Amino acid sequence: MRDVAIVGVAQTKFGELWNASFRDLVVEAGVNAIQDANMSGDSIDAMYIGNMSGGLFVGQEHIGALIAEHSGLAPIPVTRVEAACASGGLALRQAIMAVASGFYDKVVAAGVEKMTDVVDATPAIAAASDQEWEAQQGVTFPSLYAMMARRHMYEYGTTREQLAAFAVLDHENGSLNPKAQFQNKITVEKVLNSTPVAKPMNLLDCSPVSDGAAAVVVCPAEDAHKYTDTPIYVQASTQASDTIALHSRKSITTLEATVNASRKAYDIAGIKPNQIDVAEVHDCFSINGLLAIEDLGFFEKGKGGQAIEEGLIARNSEVSVNTSGGLKARGHPLGATGLAQAAEVTWQLRGDADKRQVDGAEIGLTHNVGGTGGTVAIHILSRDQKL
Ligand code: COA
């Protein structure tokens, strides 16, 4: 297998983007990533698109052909990849595997979602849960994660304030990211006093409904310096599955798919969790940010709340988490999130993250979750090819 490098990244602004269509967003991200890689569009071999539900959000399926036409990349193969909110992470993994195997040399992975065109996004998002046993019984994603939060509070004494502190940290970082949907700072008090959505999750514990796209260009590591002076190397790309329904799990305070995918990734990369400098974790709700920092092995199970409160995941601390603002503040256009995470880690490792730059970041991780953890994709990226 060949080593793979990231040589180009891009992200559109995330938010309620009334002036941009689905196709506009993904074309903007794709073209900018190809330009960032100093490549020409006609040299690209293939493209993978992460998209959760073009059908339910904008009535559009057959997304590969749509993007091939409007990006001007036809006749190259363009393939849509779907795994709920992990669609982007899986699109990146497909691109990496295609290059690693020697099948293609220059591949774009892009992710896109246009969620704000529907009046109520909740039923479309709920399609990522078990329809018969969860959604049709009235359970939504905020309520599924609320159950996980309640159980974590019961088992480990995690406090409401500790959960809120995760959202505060995201907004602090988001305030430094011009591409973030929310660039305002918030306080623990504000989170606690925001509108209840599914107790104990309030409005400011939730990621928003967002439009946006992001893209990444990969090529064989041995060719990377032809395109950029600062290639970022893929040390591991892993994926794990778990039950789609939350009630089928042994525990609802651990995402086993995060544990399995991350342990495999650390093994492949030959590193320990404490060597990660920057991590973009999947905090669709503040509880999932907290579960992530435990399940990824950054902190012991049950100690995540304390770590957040003590500032151990702030920029330039033990591990700098969600420097982009995370899903909470940067925004969460479902299919785009995994690629936006990879773009942020790439900017950090290149030293291009501007005001939110972490000093001397060398190794980064992305953690992209589908549903309540039925699918998880992990990527470990580094500045140096050899660790
Ligand atoms: N964080 C901060 N502010 C938010 C917000 C969020 N998550 N969601 C909405 N707002 C703001 C809006 O900007 C708007 O502000 P304004 O009045 O100043 O313009 C206001 O709150 C009301 O917005 P609205 O769109 O009416 O909110 P809503 O009640 O329809 O939606 C949620 C709020 C939390 C239900 C919605 O954001 C949501 O479903 N989030 C979860 C998405 C999700 O499940 N993703 C997949 C995870 S697995």
Side-chain angles (χ1 to χ4, degrees), residues 16 85 115 122 125 141-142 145 171 182 197 202-209 282 284-285 328 332 334 371-372:
E16 289 188 44
C85 309
M115 300 172 73
T122 303
I125 299 171
F141 272 100
Y145 276 102
H171 274 251
F182 297 120
V197 174
N202 289 350
L203 180 74
L204 291 177
D205 290 285
C206 303
S207 59
V209 170
H282 196 101
C284 46
F285 299 93
K328 172 69 203 74
H332 182 29
L334 314 174
T372 51

Side-chain angles (χ1 to χ4, degrees), residues 74-160:
I76 67 162
V78 181
T79 308
R80 176 195 181 170
V81 180
E82 190 276 313
C85 309
S87 301
L90 262 54
L92 176 58
R93 190 168 139 74
Q94 292 302 315
I96 290 167
M97 290 194 298
V99 171
S101 67
F103 214 95
Y104 297 125
D105 285 331
K106 297 179 198 169
V107 180
V108 177
V112 60
E113 211 76 54
K114 181 96 176 74
M115 300 172 73
T116 68
D117 286 2
V118 287
V119 176
D120 183 7
T122 303
I125 299 171
S129 64
D130 185 320
Q131 270 301 305
E132 276 182 53
W133 291 358
E134 293 181 322
Q136 287 176 14
Q137 312 308 320
V139 191
T140 60
F141 272 100
S143 57
L144 286 164
Y145 276 102
M147 287 191 266
M148 294 152 97
R150 275 184 188 275
R151 189 70 199 176
H152 202 280
M153 292 165 88
Y154 172 78
E155 282 181 18
Y156 300 108
T158 297
T159 66
R160 192 58 200 82

Side-chain angles (χ1 to χ4, degrees), residues 51-75:
N51 173 251
M52 175 185 151
S53 198
L56 294 177
F57 289 117
V58 291
Q60 180 70 59
E61 303 287 9
H62 204 182
I63 282 156
L66 178 89
I67 305 310
E69 178 189 351
H70 289 277
S71 61
L73 294 185

